[in-house]
Amino acid sequence: MIIVRIKGGLGNQLFTYAFGYAIARKKKCDLILDKSLYFKGYFRPCEIDNFELEFNKSLIPRFFKHPNIVCKLLFKAYYKALRLVCLDRITYREKQNYVFDKNIYKTSQKVLFDGYWQNYRYFHDYREEIRDQFKRSLPNSKQIKLIQKQIVGQNAVALHIRRGIIRLIKVGNV
């Protein structure tokens, strides 16, 4: 079983999932997503749950998402027990951002991968399978259909501005 730690915003979450999916496929084993950061008050939401993923098993059961004190106490106890169970796992941390690390293929199946893994070479062989999974699960509401109709009938462009860029603009560096 391969475990990948999910963290960051949506783009980072998708890269990490694609990496984990490809490694699990190559090693012919299960993939587990460690979303525990999002249960500890992480400043970003866990958005990867909005996709139809083949591997969407989580180390943390969904009921811990509730903000009440009982769930928080249960989560702490559960997470401590989980860490004891996973002590035999090796944590493999990404050495350098954006750089392909061929040594990951030499690891055993008992690894927790921690990093962003933003290099296409990790998942290139499975890109079509991964792309199919990255279709959002959106409700079929009238408003969404209206917006979709407007976009299809136009020469539309989408623009994404990263949060870090917005901070630079506010500071006056851009």
Side-chain angles (χ1 to χ4, degrees), residues 1 35 52 60 77 92 108 122 129 139 141 146 156 159 161 174:
M1 169 189 350
K35 304 173 195 173
E52 303 288 334
I60 313 298
Y92 194 101
S108 72
Y122 291 123
E129 295 170 36
S141 72
L146 177 65
L159 176 65
I161 300 174
V174 176

Side-chain angles (χ1 to χ4, degrees), residues 38-39 41 62-73:
Y38 299 96
F39 295 93
R62 285 180 153 301
F63 66 83
F64 286 127
K65 283 188 176 182
H66 299 291
N68 67 44
I69 191 72
V70 174
C71 283
K72 287 183 179 183
L73 291 172

Side-chain angles (χ1 to χ4, degrees), residues 17 21 25 31 33 51-57 129-130 132-134:
Y17 174 80
Y21 177 87
R25 287 288 312 269
L31 171 64
L33 307 179
F51 294 87
E52 303 288 334
L53 303 177
E54 184 175 325
F55 291 106
N56 202 8
K57 294 177 188 170
E129 295 170 36
I130 294 167
D132 287 342
Q133 293 177 56
F134 285 173

Side-chain angles (χ1 to χ4, degrees), residues 1-7 19 34 36 59 79 82-83 85-95 101 103-104 107-117:
M1 169 189 350
I2 298 292
I3 300 173
V4 291
R5 181 163 292 139
I6 302 294
K7 58 186 176 180
F19 164 81
D34 177 3
S36 59
L59 282 176
Y79 198 67
L82 185 66
R83 287 177 58 205
V85 171
C86 295
L87 281 179
D88 65 337
R89 294 211 173 270
I90 298 166
T91 299
Y92 194 101
R93 288 188 172 78
E94 186 175 28
K95 292 174 181 50
D101 180 1
N103 292 324
I104 61 155
T107 61
S108 72
Q109 290 186 359
K110 290 186 170 190
V111 179
L112 182 142
F113 288 101
D114 188 4
Y116 293 104
W117 312 106

